Amino acid sequence: MISVEWRERAQPLAPSAVLAEGGVARSLVERLLRGGWAPELKGVGRRDPLLVVITGEAEDLPWIDGVRYFGADPAAPQVLVPTAAAPSYPMALVAARLHAGHSGLFDPSTGHLVPLHGARTLDAVRLEELIRGEEAHP
């Protein structure tokens, strides 16, 4: 098995997604519900444990404490990675190993790939259901 290490990226990627978990995810959803959002934003989420990923243009993404930002490396744009981190192997090889034919967000801190193929336009009802405890996609 190949061990991929992640190091600081010389030039950060432009953000195209935010990832929030637990209490930060709840705060993110509550902020979106209070302040609205750009109509182009999409998201995926799960309830247990609470996790929310919002995708969109950098200028439209919500900016709050505790969320983590991800972007597309030009060598493998189908897999979003932390904006400030680069793998020790070429990104195209890492993405090929992770990627199962769908777009996704890879979090090296947990080793999880969050599928993004089910991302939907944000909807207040779904966002409220997500933080109320019902399974939903934001």
Side-chain angles (χ1 to χ4, degrees):
M1 179 182 270
I2 296 174
S3 176
V4 177
E5 294 181 24
W6 292 79
R7 59 188 183 281
E8 187 175 341
R9 187 177 286 274
Q11 179 68 34
L13 299 169
S16 57
V18 295
L19 168 70
E21 299 176 270
V24 174
R26 176 176 282 285
S27 295
L28 172 62
V29 169
E30 289 170 348
R31 178 168 180 263
L32 287 168
L33 290 169
R34 281 192 315 269
W37 56 84
E40 297 78 25
L41 291 180
K42 293 186 175 187
V44 296
R46 71 168 187 239
R47 177 64 191 125
D48 191 21
L50 185 59
L51 176 138
V52 174
V53 175
I54 307 294
T55 63
E57 297 296 320
E59 61 272 6
D60 295 332
L61 292 173
W63 296 84
I64 67 166
D65 287 340
V67 297
R68 292 181 283 145
Y69 296 90
F70 291 74
D73 186 305
Q78 72 278 20
V79 178
L80 303 181
V81 295
T83 57
S88 55
Y89 287 90
M91 188 59 215
L93 294 176
V94 173
R97 179 92 172 137
L98 296 170
H99 182 259
H102 297 291
S103 61
L105 179 147
F106 180 67
D107 182 359
S109 69
T110 63
H112 294 136
L113 180 67
V114 178
L116 297 177
H117 61 274
R120 299 163 99 176
T121 301
L122 297 185
D123 174 274
V125 172
R126 287 188 182 107
L127 287 168
E128 288 172 357
E129 288 172 350
L130 184 64
I131 62 173
R132 273 202 323 251
E134 300 171 29
E135 295 238 349
H137 292 284

